[in-house]
Amino acid sequence: MRDSETAAAAAGAQPVGELTGVTKVYGHGDTAVVALGGIDVRIDDGEFIAIMGPSGSGKSTCMNILGCLDTPTSGSYRFRGVEVTTLTRNQRALLRRNYLGFVFQGYNLLSRTTAFENVEVPLIYRGLPVAERRDRVREALAAVGLESRGHHTPAELSGGQQQRVAIARAIVSQPTLLLADEPTGNLDSKLSREIMELLVQLNETRGITIAMVTHEPDMAAYTRRQVRFYDGLVMADEPTHGATRLSAARQATR
Amino acid sequence: MIREAFALALRAIRRNVMRSTLTILGIVIGVAAVIAMVTLGNGTTVRVTESIRSLGSNVLILTPGAQTGRGPGGATVAGPAFTTRDVTAITQNIGGINAVAPMASARAQVVYGNLNWPTTITGTDNDYFVVRQWPMAAGREFTDAEIRGGRAVCVIGTTVRNKLFAGQDPLGASLRVRNMPCEIVGVLTAKGQAMGGNDQDDVVILPLRTVQRRISGNEDVTVIQVSVQSSAMNARVRADIMALLRERRRIVHGKEDDFRILDIAEIANTVQSTTRVLTAFLSALAAVSLLVGGIGIMNIMLVSVTERTREIGIRLAIGALERDVLAQFLVEAVVLSLCGGLIGIVIGLAGSYFAVPLLNVPFVFNPTIVALAFGFSGAVGVIFGFFPARKAARLDPIEALRHE
Ligand SMILES: Nc1ncnc2c1ncn2[C@@H]1O[C@H](COP(=O)(O)OP(=O)(O)OP(=O)(O)O)[C@@H](O)[C@H]1O
Ligand SMILES: [Mg+2]
C-alpha cells in the first residue's frame, strides 16, 4: 500500500471517499446495536458536505469510518480507490497521517501545550524539518486568525479560539479530506458563524474537501450538499438550497 | 523524530517533578548501593592486599603448634618450638630460598633517659631484613660478630624512635631493654600498619642470641620466616620444608603435623577472593533493588498511560503511528531510569568518597561499574517501560478519544 496505492490515492483519479453498503454493529447477540444499517455515500473532490440527523443516528460512526479511525462491520470503504477495510492498523494510521484532518467536537487539543505546539504535532509525525514546520504552523494559525496567540495554552483561549486552533491543526498538513464532527456544537451563534465562514473559505480557496456533522440547519446552510441520517440509514442526500454561501456574498460585493 | 520524543519525555517528566522523583527513587537507591558496594569493596581488597604484601612477598611463615580440623571449633595441637638447628637444616637442605630468618619475640619495656615505652622485642638475624624487604633508614644491620656473640646492640623501628628520640639522633645511643643497656646501630624505614591495624614500626630488633640469653632465657625460636626465590616455587619449597621438619621432629607417617607453614601469597589470594565474593554478593543484593526500581517505573508508566489515554487518542488520530506512541513512552521510561541511574552514580560515588576515610581504605574509582550501572539502569527503563508503552501504542484511537 505504502508506495503504489498511496501514489494512486494522491493522484486524485478516484473520488475522495466512497462508502458502499457500509454497516456497523456494536456488541453481539441481544445487546447488539446497529449504528449503521448499510449506507452508500460518495464524496468527490472539493465538496463541502453537511451530515445531519438526530442523535444516535450514526453520524459520528460514519465520520469515524470516513476518517479511517474505525472499520465497518461489513461493506466497502474506498479512499481514493484504496480499499480501507482490508488495510492494517498501521496502514490506516498512515492514511490519517498523510491525507486526513480531524476537527473533534470537544476540541481535543493537548492540554498544557501551546497552540503553536498543538498545530505542530501532525507535522512532527510527518517528519518535516523544524524550519518548514514553523512556517507552516504560522501560516495555519494565520489562516484561522490566531497568529498572535501561538504561545497560549488551550486553558488561556476562549472556546471559539480553541476550536480555531483545532481547525488549524487539521489543515496544517494540507489534508485531502477534512472531517469535522460538530465543530460549532459548543459555540454561540456568532462564533459558530465565524467558524463556518472559515471552513467555507478553506473549502473554496484551498480546495479542501470537507465533511461536517451538525445539528443546526443554519450551519448546514453554509455547505453545498446535505446528507441526512436516520436510524443508521441515509434518508436524504441533496444539494443545499438557498445556501448562505460566503462566495456568493463576496461575489455580490465585488 | 527521536529528538522530539526526548523533548516530549523531558516535558512530561518536568510536569510532574514530584512524581518523577519518587518514581526513580528505587533506581537511585539501587544504583547508589551497587556503586558504593563495589567502590568500598575494591578499596577493601586493595587495602587488605597491600597490608598482606607488606609482610613480604613470597614468604613462608613457620610456627610451632597446629590446628586440627577447620574453623574456630578445631582443636589445637601443641608442638615444641623450633631451634637454631632447624634453621641451619633448612638453610642447608632446601633449594630455591633466598633467606631464612629465625625469630624469638617478647613484649618488653624499653627505656631511654626518663622516657619509657612498651614495645615488641624481636631477636633475629640480618636475613630478617631480607625476608621482610625492610631496608635501614639510618645506620647499619648487625655484624657477624654481634650475631654470633649475642652482643647488646639493636635496630629500632620508626615508632620507637619517634616516642623516645623526638628530634634527637638515636644512632649510638644506649637503650635499656629490660635493664640491659643496648647500643642502637640502626633505624628501620617506616612500614606502616599491618593487617588488623597493629603498628609494624613499633619494634626493637636484636640479635637472636641476645634475646635468647638475656631476655627469654631459653633456646627457643618461636617463628621462622623463609623467603622463596619466586612465588612459583612457594608450593614446592613449602612441601620440602614440611617433609624436612616432620623428619626432624620425628612425626611418623600418618600423624598430624605439630607446626604450621603459612604461605603469604596464598593468604593474600584467599583474602582477595573472599572480599571479591563478598563484594559480588552485596552488589547482587543491591541490584535486586534496581529491579524493584524498575517495577516502580513500570507502575508509574502504566498510571501515566491511563491518565493520558485521551492524549494518546488525539495523537493516534492526527498522525501518530503505533511505533511513534511506543517510542514516546519508551523514551520517557528510559529517560526517567537514566536520570535515576545518573543521580544514583553521583550519590554512590560521593557516599563512598566520604565513607572511605572512616573505613580506612583507599578510594578506588571503578569506571567499568559506573558504565555498567548506567547501562543497566537504561536497560531497566527499556524492559519495564516496554509493557506500558506497548499498552499505549495498542490503544484504539476512538475508545481513547472517548476516555474521560
Ligand atoms: N462504542 C460503542 N459501543 C456501543 N454502541 C455504540 C458505540 N458507539 C456508538 N454506539 C451506538 O451507535 C449508535 C450511533 O452512534 P453515533 O455516535 O454514531 O450517533 P450520532 O449520530 O453521532 O449521535 P450524536 O448526534 O448524539 O453524536 C448509537 O445508538 C450509539 O449508542
Ligand atoms: Mg456524534
Side-chain angles (χ1 to χ4, degrees):
Chain A
M1 200 274 316
R2 222 169 267 183
D3 294 327
S4 58
E5 296 188 53
T6 49
Q14 307 271 352
V16 174
E18 195 168 17
L19 298 170
T20 318
V22 166
T23 68
K24 181 74 192 182
V25 181
Y26 290 107
H28 302 278
D30 291 347
T31 57
V33 176
V34 180
L36 292 176
I39 58 166
D40 304 296
V41 177
R42 175 186 160 127
I43 301 172
D44 283 310
D45 273 295
E47 281 202 283
F48 189 178
I49 305 177
I51 295 178
M52 304 188 66
S55 184
S57 57
K59 306 183 297 294
S60 296
T61 307
C62 178
M63 291 291 271
N64 290 339
I65 290 171
L66 285 173
C68 303
L69 283 167
D70 208 351
T71 45
T73 307
S74 70
S76 137
Y77 171 39
R78 287 172 167 275
F79 181 84
R80 281 276 191 243
V82 175
E83 184 56 56
V84 176
T85 47
T86 57
L87 297 182
T88 63
R89 212 175 115 89
N90 201 49
Q91 289 169 329
R92 277 186 284 128
L94 277 169
L95 277 185
R96 291 197 296 271
R97 169 186 286 186
N98 292 322
Y99 304 110
L100 293 162
F102 287 94
V103 181
F104 303 99
Q105 182 167 358
Y107 318 133
N108 272 333
L109 298 175
L110 299 178
S111 58
R112 292 189 287 182
T113 304
T114 65
F116 186 97
E117 290 164 334
N118 261 292
V119 176
E120 193 183 18
V121 173
L123 302 183
I124 293 176
Y125 288 129
R126 282 185 163 202
L128 295 193
V130 178
E132 193 182 342
R133 281 192 331 235
R134 196 185 49 222
D135 293 345
R136 285 177 65 169
V137 171
R138 284 201 184 133
E139 195 203 342
L141 282 173
V144 299
L146 283 178
E147 52 271 71
S148 61
R149 300 289 172 142
H151 55 280
H152 289 283
T153 61
E156 298 162 354
L157 295 171
S158 72
Q161 288 170 332
Q162 289 183 52
Q163 192 63 295
R164 281 191 279 170
V165 174
I167 292 171
R169 184 179 67 188
I171 60 167
V172 74
S173 54
Q174 295 168 353
T176 306
L177 176 59
L178 176 67
L179 298 161
D181 197 345
E182 304 195 38
T184 61
N186 297 349
L187 306 178
D188 66 31
S189 60
K190 180 172 168 289
L191 282 177
S192 297
R193 273 196 298 280
E194 272 178 42
I195 298 290
M196 287 314 299
E197 276 160 23
L198 178 62
L199 289 177
V200 168
Q201 188 204 337
L202 290 170
N203 173 245
E204 290 185 347
T205 61
R206 300 191 182 215
I208 298 176
T209 308
I210 303 177
M212 174 190 81
V213 172
T214 182
H215 284 288
E216 300 160 82
D218 282 358
M219 303 304 135
Y222 282 88
T223 65
R224 293 191 205 168
R225 174 180 159 200
Q226 301 186 4
V227 177
R228 284 178 194 282
F229 277 67
Y230 187 81
D231 213 6
L233 293 171
V234 176
M235 295 318 297
D237 187 345
E238 58 203 6
T240 305
H241 298 295
T244 322
R245 294 299 296 179
L246 187 66
S247 56
R250 282 219 187 108
Q251 269 157 12
T253 55
R254 229 173 250 170
Chain B
M1 190 57 229
I2 209 70
R3 223 188 51 209
E4 279 82 13
F6 269 102
L8 271 181
L10 286 179
R11 173 188 294 214
I13 289 166
R14 255 181 304 161
R15 242 178 221 171
N16 239 323
V17 178
M18 184 69 179
R19 183 203 275 185
S20 306
T21 314
L22 291 174
T23 304
I24 61 174
L25 210 56
I27 301 272
V28 171
I29 293 171
V31 168
V34 170
I35 297 280
M37 284 306 148
V38 171
T39 306
L40 295 178
N42 285 349
T44 311
T45 309
V46 167
R47 167 91 180 78
V48 167
T49 314
E50 261 173 12
S51 55
I52 292 175
R53 295 244 182 276
S54 78
L55 293 174
S57 55
N58 315 337
V59 172
L60 302 178
I61 298 177
L62 287 52
T63 51
Q67 253 191 339
T68 60
R70 293 200 160 262
T76 49
V77 174
F82 303 115
T83 64
T84 38
R85 285 179 301 282
D86 290 326
V87 178
T88 316
I90 290 171
T91 315
Q92 286 173 347
N93 296 312
I94 308 294
I97 56 183
N98 275 334
V100 181
M103 292 166 64
S105 296
R107 293 290 297 178
Q109 200 80 10
V110 294
V111 181
Y112 176 72
N114 56 358
L115 298 172
N116 65 52
W117 179 248
T119 188
T120 304
I121 309 297
T122 298
T124 183
D125 59 26
N126 288 336
D127 272 6
Y128 182 71
F129 307 118
V130 177
V131 173
R132 301 290 317 272
Q133 297 180 303
W134 205 351
M136 293 293 152
R140 57 169 176 84
E141 298 180 356
F142 305 121
T143 63
D144 280 354
E146 284 164 353
I147 290 167
R148 256 184 275 115
R151 303 269 170 76
V153 289
C154 65
V155 169
I156 62 174
T158 51
T159 303
V160 174
R161 187 199 59 193
N162 294 341
K163 292 293 174 190
L164 300 182
F165 298 93
Q168 285 172 272
D169 182 7
L171 288 182
S174 174
L175 190 70
R176 275 196 318 168
V177 180
R178 287 248 187 105
N179 297 327
M180 169 186 70
C182 191
E183 186 196 343
I184 298 174
V185 298
V187 178
L188 288 161
T189 50
K191 223 174 173 46
Q193 282 187 346
M195 202 183 17
N198 58 336
D199 181 3
Q200 302 183 79
D201 298 316
D202 188 5
V203 69
V204 173
I205 296 170
L206 297 89
L208 176 66
R209 186 161 283 197
T210 317
V211 171
Q212 285 175 336
R213 279 193 196 154
R214 321 240 336 226
I215 293 172
S216 63
N218 58 39
E219 297 283 295
D220 291 353
V221 171
T222 50
V223 177
I224 300 172
Q225 293 199 6
V226 177
S227 155
V228 183
Q229 278 167 6
S230 93
S231 55
M233 299 160 73
N234 275 12
R236 208 211 73 218
V237 171
R238 186 176 187 274
D240 288 353
I241 295 176
M242 190 69 92
L244 176 72
L245 287 180
R246 279 178 72 92
E247 193 189 311
R248 289 185 58 81
R249 293 161 85 90
R250 303 191 207 299
I251 302 168
V252 296
H253 188 74
K255 278 210 80 176
E256 302 255 11
D257 300 330
D258 63 356
F259 61 95
R260 215 160 28 152
I261 303 178
L262 296 177
D263 180 344
I264 294 293
E266 200 179 292
I267 295 173
N269 286 342
T270 312
V271 172
Q272 229 167 345
S273 57
T274 310
T275 34
R276 215 173 285 139
V277 168
L278 206 66
T279 305
F281 177 70
L282 290 173
S283 309
L285 274 183
V288 170
S289 68
L290 253 183
L291 288 187
V292 175
I295 293 169
I297 287 199
M298 176 150 83
N299 189 16
I300 290 297
M301 289 307 294
L302 281 173
V303 171
S304 174
V305 167
T306 307
E307 275 179 0
R308 284 148 73 186
T309 299
R310 202 178 175 81
E311 175 195 329
I312 296 162
I314 296 171
R315 289 182 181 278
L316 285 170
I318 64 175
L321 305 185
E322 253 181 57
R323 63 158 189 266
D324 297 321
V325 176
L326 186 83
Q328 179 185 343
F329 283 88
L330 205 52
V331 166
E332 192 174 323
V334 172
V335 168
L336 267 179
S337 61
L338 283 182
C339 284
L342 273 182
I343 299 172
I345 287 170
V346 170
I347 292 180
L349 286 178
S352 23
Y353 185 80
F354 289 112
V356 148
L358 303 177
L359 294 178
N360 192 21
V361 300
F363 179 81
V364 182
F365 176 71
N366 185 338
T368 315
I369 197 69
V370 168
L372 218 64
F374 189 69
F376 204 79
S377 52
V380 163
V382 171
I383 292 164
F384 290 95
F386 184 77
F387 176 65
R390 203 188 55 171
K391 189 182 162 199
R394 296 252 173 109
L395 282 177
D396 181 64
I398 299 177
E399 274 167 29
L401 278 170
R402 233 184 245 136
H403 191 267
E404 276 315 307

